[in-house]
Amino acid sequence: AISLPPNEKEIHFWDWHYQRGYEWYIKQFDLFRRCPQQSCSNSDPSSSKPFYGEITPCYVVLPSEKIEEISRIFPQLKLVFIARDLVDRAWSALIMELRNQTSGLTAGSFADGSGIQTCHNARDPKKTKKSVMSVAQKRRMQELSSPSSQPDSYYMERLRNATHDSRSNYAKHLRNWYEHFPPETILIVDYRDIESDPRGTLSKIVQHIGLHEEEARKYVESLDDRVLGQRVNAATSDQLRIDDSTASIKSSQPSSSDYFLSQRPNLKRRMQKYLQHHAIEFNALL
């Protein structure tokens, strides 16, 4: 059985909820007591050995001492790092930040529905009340949060911010994980392979986690095409490599950054140039 927490995709224990303790963390994975195997859509009843995991992208920027603690508690842990095109990742983060700023959050902070935090800050346990806005107010917020509302200089200034720059430095953070986990325990996946070969990519991931090849094949074949077709991106080549000259993963098809930045070619070139050194460093690590 392959089981993820049933209530939330991202647990954020090691960055937001660490103060709640290990017992709270364990309860997030108590799937088989909460629902019978027959009714758990994210488990495979044919397998007797359960595999538990979570999906929290912010963990990649955890400090070395926290990663060391994880390695002591889970010495057999298998990790999956999905590498997204650097320009796509940065642009998406900048647009999300702009939207959050329009909602009243400080630049560099991110909303999770229950407070304000970054990847390093603890979540506010108190739920925030959502304000009721008029149609005119909503329209005004949409205008202010539109990518066209800001000049290129705004995005470049924000891209140089420590938070955004750090999250673009894949190599730096992966080295912290390699200090405490053997290379064979960390699988690096091209984000766009999920669209070009969803079943093959998923099979590779579940085998990395610990399923035997035949178990992985049965599990992947049991999934509906509509499930595998959700939230996809542009295809890419077989080899994971970020183009050193553009900071983009090479692809024969338009990427999401091409789509979103198609009307701002100068900004895209400036972002690619700025992120180029991170691309070179990441390629050297592969």
Side-chain angles (χ1 to χ4, degrees):
I2 302 175
S3 303
L4 297 173
N7 297 324
E8 292 209 27
K9 173 185 172 183
E10 299 182 17
I11 297 300
H12 283 284
F13 171 73
W14 296 99
D15 50 359
W16 297 349
H17 297 299
Y18 184 74
Q19 73 280 2
R20 298 191 177 192
Y22 294 144
E23 289 188 10
W24 180 90
Y25 189 45
I26 293 171
K27 288 179 180 179
Q28 308 311 303
F29 300 92
D30 198 8
L31 178 61
F32 294 103
R33 191 174 69 178
R34 295 188 192 189
C35 65
Q37 281 192 338
Q38 291 78 5
S39 65
C40 292
S41 59
N42 61 338
S43 64
D44 176 11
S46 65
S47 177
S48 59
K49 181 181 179 182
F51 291 89
Y52 296 97
E54 60 158 312
I55 304 172
T56 306
C58 274
Y59 286 171
V60 72
V61 300
L62 287 174
S64 182
E65 58 270 17
K66 191 62 67 68
I67 299 172
E68 190 275 332
E69 182 179 354
I70 294 173
S71 69
R72 283 190 286 104
I73 298 174
F74 303 110
Q76 304 301 317
L77 186 66
K78 297 298 179 66
L79 301 152
V80 178
F81 175 73
I82 300 179
R84 189 177 183 184
D85 178 287
L86 287 176
V87 175
D88 284 352
R89 190 221 62 79
W91 180 251
S92 177
L94 291 171
I95 297 305
M96 181 179 69
E97 180 186 68
L98 177 60
R99 184 175 63 247
N100 288 342
Q101 280 185 262
T102 306
S103 301
L105 301 186
T106 303
S109 298
F110 299 87
D112 70 345
S114 63
I116 302 172
Q117 76 290 312
T118 67
C119 281
H120 300 290
N121 295 338
R123 174 189 283 187
D124 184 350
K126 297 181 179 179
K127 299 290 183 179
T128 56
K129 295 183 179 179
K130 295 182 179 180
S131 58
V132 178
M133 294 186 294
S134 66
V135 174
Q137 288 175 319
K138 290 181 179 179
R139 185 181 298 112
R140 178 57 176 164
M141 287 193 67
Q142 289 176 346
E143 292 174 355
L144 293 174
S145 61
S146 170
S148 61
S149 68
Q150 298 294 336
D152 291 0
S153 58
Y154 164 84
Y155 292 110
M156 290 307 302
E157 179 183 356
R158 295 308 307 154
L159 183 60
R160 297 185 185 97
N161 174 268
T163 296
H164 293 295
D165 185 75
S166 176
R167 293 189 183 190
S168 297
N169 195 342
Y170 293 165
K172 171 186 174 181
H173 299 299
L174 283 172
R175 287 194 189 98
N176 288 336
W177 286 91
Y178 282 130
E179 284 183 8
H180 305 288
F181 286 92
E184 62 271 16
T185 65
I186 302 176
L187 176 66
I188 301 178
V189 175
D190 187 327
Y191 180 85
R192 289 176 291 188
D193 279 348
I194 297 171
E195 193 263 358
S196 63
D197 183 19
R199 293 189 186 276
T201 303
L202 183 57
S203 179
K204 182 189 301 183
I205 291 173
V206 295
Q207 287 184 64
H208 174 72
I209 291 172
L211 264 67
H212 295 299
E213 184 175 356
E214 183 62 19
E215 287 182 307
R217 183 186 64 79
K218 290 181 179 179
Y219 174 72
V220 173
E221 288 181 353
S222 71
L223 298 176
D224 189 276
D225 287 338
R226 290 173 296 180
V227 175
L228 292 173
Q230 294 176 359
R231 293 197 66 177
V232 297
N233 205 339
T236 186
S237 58
D238 290 336
Q239 182 181 11
L240 171 62
R241 183 171 181 81
I242 294 179
D243 190 334
D244 291 349
S245 62
T246 64
S248 299
I249 296 176
K250 293 181 178 179
S251 173
S252 60
Q253 298 185 23
S255 68
S256 60
S257 65
D258 292 327
Y259 173 77
F260 287 115
L261 294 175
S262 61
Q263 302 303 313
R264 306 180 80 154
N266 290 333
L267 173 59
K268 181 179 178 180
R269 284 193 292 269
R270 292 177 67 185
M271 292 177 67
Q272 289 172 338
K273 183 177 181 180
Y274 179 80
L275 295 169
Q276 181 180 0
H277 67 290
H278 288 321
I280 295 173
E281 192 174 1
F282 178 59
N283 287 334
L285 187 67
L286 294 178

